[in-house]
Amino acid sequence: MTTSDPDSSPTTGTGADPAGSPDSPARSLPRRTFLGLLVVAGVIGAGAVTAARDRTAAARGFTAIAGTADASLAPVAEAGFGDTVPVLDRPVTGLGVQRAFSLHPSLSLGGRWPVLTGQDAFNGRVEAWVRQAVADCANKYANAGVFTPVATPVPGHAADGSYVAPADAVDAADAMRANGSPDRADAAETVGLFAGSVLDTSGLAGSTRGDIDTLLADRAEFPAPQEHGHLIAIACDTTLAAGTVLGVQLRASRAATIDGAHRSLFEQRQSVFVDIATGTCGAGDSLLTAAGRDTAIARLRTLLGSVAPADIGTSRRDAPAYDPLQDALDAGTLLDDVSVDPAGQLVVRLAVTADRIDDAQRHAWADGLRTPGLLCIRVALDDSAWTDLGSTVRAAAMAETPWAGPARAAASDAQAAGTQATFTTGDALPASARARAAGTTPADAAGASAEEAARSATLVAGTTTTSAVPTRTADEVTVPTEDGPVRPTAYAWPVPCDLVPAAAVTFDDGPGEYTAEILAAFAAAGVHGSFMVEGQHAEQYPQRVRDEIAGGHTVCDHSWDHPALTDLTAAQVRDQITRTDDMVERVCGVRPRFVRPPYGFYDDTVVQASPHPLVVWDVDSLDWEEPGQRVVHDKILREASTGSIVLMHDVHEPTKAMMPGLLRDLRAAGFTVVSLATLFAHADDQAEQAVIRRLDLA
């Protein structure tokens, strides 16, 4: 990661204006987003039209504005100065940004990072970098050394900069999706605009290019300065989207409140590339071979007049001349912030400190210092200098072919496996096992061998089991009665609940006659829930269970017919759970991962008899008492906190009726509503506890 000097004073400069957040989603972007373009064009009156057009386009992908394009990208002999390759000025299908906004007395988090539909490896790498940047900041500035997200309402802003209440912004976002966007279920085409939450579509135009202190002044993106407060700000831009290759640039800045305003203290940068044709991804240092890196260093040394040796750790702050190349080598960040220009040249961006550059250097490097805080250099390298991924990235940059879009919109294997414990594919079983499961014994299956039966049992056990599900024999195999195992129909963007304020809304006792409308409310809001199904009701409403899985929700076991498990023997407890697990698997090919004990009653016998962790709750809505929708709504909003598990029931009509408003107001309050599988995706130790009440982030 490219870093700036943690001890230096904040620097300012000219360059691309770091545009602010989108406002109310149905309106145009804030005018500062386009200020740089308007000045260059000299046509102030056309700004509103341009903003509206780009704002509409942004609803279909992460868009940024090119504000620092080079006048010429002609190849250099070996290395030469030049401004950075511009960020993209067109929508990128399937690419959105995950938004975080959390206000905390010790350490706040604000900003966005990219998410690409269907690309778990890329999303995981980006998320890991963000998580590490936040952890490093927390270790230095947070009271407990740990960052804890806090639900914080995120205001929207209109084009004129005026405030838009979070709830109104949520309504506007939903209206834009309903009136002008494709079906929310098609994650490859539509990126949900979530005011007060995550998955906001519009990037901060040129946010990795401009002066960070100016960017930090945008209240639609970052919390207001607090007394003695610290902030970590995450920004991102797209630098390449051609053919099957995507390149993004990430920026993480630590800031503190100084004289009533945010002032940057330390900055990290990282470039990440992915080839969606293969799923291969890597950071900037994965583009060059070891020999290619040595060649690049030699050419940078010649251009900069550097006396830096090839090894690291030898620079001195009191050296007679400032040497940004040696600083980068010492920090191990030389290739963290790179891209490839249309001429196939490596673009290296070195962090510089303005007050350490002498007049001679400033004059010699003028063409490379047009982006504040960065020295931008283009380096020509032979074909042999590039790795396989580097060659793919380079070829895409030079060809400039249209972006191919995400590899797939359907849920990835990892996401599908994380939603439940086991997949059982009927077609993968031997004929004899399928026949026994269906209760018939065709002639060609009558003589099945013991080896075949053992293979059947192995297939049923599966390889994605995440909890202690007893292995069953082939005679106990059940298979889906309709179209085979159900998978989520669309890729669900990952929500890191240790970084983004999140809560899980869960429903007991179904499925029932109101379940379908509750599922529709979740689909309209673009979020996911968890459904604790009774075995007898899964048998009565099998399609509802299939719809829950297809919608990306988590399905859990809620016993067969809702007894108090504490009144039963261990064998009876196991029978209640196993019968329900088997029925759910029979109707949709999915075996539940969690158990919700009826009434929340459990004891040591229940805990030991259950094959899955018991999930209870920390917020009881009491909706089963039907005290009135407003009473239930206000109780949930009052008691919910980051990591909460909310108890509701999908068999009560008032609960069905209140869901659209409740999901809207949870988002407006700063929560992302997630499934249990997502809530515990980064907390494996908690997900395997005997009894789970909430996500504990302390």
Side-chain angles (χ1 to χ4, degrees):
M1 58 191 74
T2 300
T3 59
S4 59
D5 186 357
D7 299 322
S8 66
S9 301
T11 61
T12 60
T14 60
D17 184 44
S21 163
D23 54 350
S24 163
R27 307 184 186 185
S28 62
L29 283 170
R31 62 183 177 221
R32 58 185 174 277
T33 305
F34 302 94
L35 185 57
L37 289 178
L38 296 179
V39 171
V40 173
V43 185
I44 303 299
V49 175
T50 302
R53 183 192 65 226
D54 288 341
R55 186 65 188 83
T56 300
R60 301 176 67 87
F62 173 31
T63 306
I65 304 301
T68 57
D70 283 328
S72 171
L73 288 176
V76 297
E78 286 192 345
F81 295 113
D83 206 355
T84 183
V85 172
V87 296
L88 301 188
D89 58 358
R90 61 182 182 275
V92 179
T93 303
L95 181 66
V97 292
Q98 180 132 259
R99 183 174 185 178
F101 192 97
S102 178
L103 188 63
H104 191 278
S106 177
L107 178 65
S108 299
L109 169 65
R112 308 156 187 257
W113 57 91
V115 179
L116 183 59
T117 299
Q119 296 295 320
D120 287 339
F122 170 83
N123 295 335
R125 179 177 284 271
V126 169
E127 185 182 295
W129 185 86
V130 173
R131 180 176 286 105
Q132 187 61 56
V134 173
D136 291 345
C137 187
N139 287 334
K140 188 172 182 64
Y141 299 115
N143 290 338
V146 177
F147 171 77
T148 302
V150 177
T152 307
V154 184
H157 283 72
D160 61 2
S162 60
Y163 174 84
V164 178
D168 293 337
V170 170
D171 284 343
D174 290 341
M176 189 184 78
R177 269 205 310 274
N179 298 329
S181 298
D183 187 349
R184 176 63 178 85
D186 188 354
E189 294 295 331
T190 303
V191 179
L193 186 65
F194 284 29
S197 188
V198 299
L199 309 188
D200 200 340
T201 60
S202 295
L204 300 177
S207 60
T208 60
R209 303 292 191 264
D211 167 32
I212 186 61
D213 290 331
T214 302
L215 183 68
L216 289 169
D218 185 352
R219 291 286 74 79
E221 288 302 321
F222 305 108
Q226 303 176 81
E227 185 177 1
H228 308 302
H230 287 84
L231 166 73
I232 181 163
I234 309 294
C236 57
D237 274 315
T238 308
T239 59
L240 176 62
T244 62
V245 174
L246 176 81
V248 298
Q249 185 184 29
L250 306 170
R251 176 181 195 171
S253 302
R254 303 178 194 173
T257 302
I258 300 174
D259 297 330
H262 287 315
R263 291 290 181 264
S264 59
L265 302 174
F266 179 73
E267 184 168 293
Q268 302 160 275
R269 292 173 178 266
Q270 182 71 78
S271 298
V272 182
F273 300 88
V274 61
D275 177 11
I276 63 174
T278 63
T280 304
C281 67
D285 60 1
S286 67
L287 300 186
L288 300 184
T289 64
R293 179 181 181 275
D294 290 342
T295 299
I297 291 174
R299 293 179 178 176
L300 289 168
R301 182 185 298 118
T302 299
L303 181 70
L304 297 176
S306 171
V307 295
D311 56 344
I312 64 174
T314 58
S315 68
R316 297 289 184 271
R317 289 184 58 86
D318 58 355
Y322 174 48
D323 193 337
L325 174 59
Q326 186 63 66
D327 277 3
L329 290 173
D330 286 349
T333 60
L334 177 65
L335 297 179
D336 279 2
D337 187 9
V338 300
S339 58
V340 182
D341 71 17
Q345 302 165 126
L346 183 72
V347 179
V348 180
R349 292 176 282 261
L350 300 179
V352 297
T353 306
D355 59 3
R356 295 180 65 191
I357 302 175
D358 61 33
D359 290 341
Q361 290 173 322
R362 193 182 307 276
H363 176 75
W365 302 347
D367 287 341
L369 290 170
R370 286 182 283 171
T371 297
L374 293 177
L375 181 60
C376 302
I377 306 167
R378 296 200 298 272
V379 182
L381 296 169
D382 296 335
D383 294 347
S384 61
W386 303 83
T387 62
D388 290 344
L389 177 61
S391 296
T392 301
V393 171
R394 185 179 183 226
M398 296 175 70
E400 296 188 284
T401 54
W403 166 240
R408 58 182 174 181
S412 67
D413 292 339
Q415 284 191 331
T419 304
Q420 55 280 315
T422 307
F423 281 114
T424 301
T425 305
D427 290 344
L429 300 177
S432 57
R434 293 200 301 272
R436 284 191 292 271
T440 61
T441 308
D444 62 352
S449 66
E451 180 181 355
E452 186 181 21
R455 175 174 173 270
S456 301
T458 301
L459 285 168
V460 172
T463 58
T464 60
T465 300
T466 56
S467 56
V469 180
T471 301
R472 294 165 294 151
T473 66
D475 288 323
E476 298 173 312
V477 173
T478 55
V479 295
T481 59
E482 299 184 26
D483 301 321
V486 180
R487 294 173 62 96
T489 57
Y491 184 78
W493 285 5
V495 179
C497 298
D498 55 339
L499 297 177
V500 176
V505 179
T506 67
F507 299 88
D508 281 12
D509 299 350
E513 59 180 312
Y514 308 122
T515 303
E517 291 172 85
I518 291 176
L519 289 173
F522 273 83
V527 295
H528 299 93
S530 300
F531 293 84
M532 282 56 183
V533 305
E534 293 181 28
Q536 60 179 350
H537 294 159
E539 184 177 41
Q540 183 180 3
Y541 297 101
Q543 189 57 45
R544 296 285 188 270
V545 181
R546 296 175 68 86
D547 290 343
E548 289 165 359
I549 294 295
H553 308 285
T554 298
V555 169
C556 303
D557 188 311
H558 194 41
S559 80
W560 180 263
D561 55 6
H562 209 273
L565 298 182
T566 50
D567 293 339
L568 306 182
T569 66
Q572 290 171 324
V573 170
R574 283 192 293 270
D575 181 67
Q576 283 279 332
I577 296 173
T578 301
R579 288 177 66 195
T580 302
D581 281 355
D582 289 347
M583 178 54 65
V584 171
E585 187 174 25
R586 177 175 179 272
V587 301
C588 64
V590 168
R591 199 165 185 83
R593 177 181 175 186
F594 300 111
V595 170
R596 165 72 54 80
Y599 313 105
F601 292 171
Y602 64 90
D603 56 19
D604 289 344
T605 298
V606 175
V607 170
Q608 293 171 12
S610 174
H612 316 304
L614 304 182
V615 176
V616 284
W617 57 84
D618 67 316
V619 178
D620 187 349
S621 70
L622 298 179
D623 63 336
W624 60 274
E625 295 182 351
E626 298 191 2
Q629 294 180 37
R630 176 51 58 181
V631 173
V632 174
H633 170 281
D634 291 352
K635 186 176 191 296
I636 293 172
L637 267 293
R638 182 174 61 253
E639 297 181 8
S641 59
T642 300
S644 280
I645 298 175
V646 180
L647 169 64
M648 302 189 78
H649 300 78
D650 56 338
V651 293
H652 296 281
E653 186 172 14
T655 297
K656 172 206 73 175
M658 69 178 293
M659 287 315 301
L662 176 63
L663 294 176
R664 163 190 180 269
D665 290 344
L666 282 169
R667 290 158 55 201
F671 288 103
T672 299
V673 177
V674 299
S675 69
L676 286 172
T678 298
L679 189 68
F680 294 103
H682 295 289
D684 291 340
D685 55 337
Q686 293 187 49
E688 295 302 324
Q689 290 177 355
V691 181
I692 302 169
R693 295 186 179 278
R694 56 174 289 119
L695 175 65
D696 184 7
L697 295 172

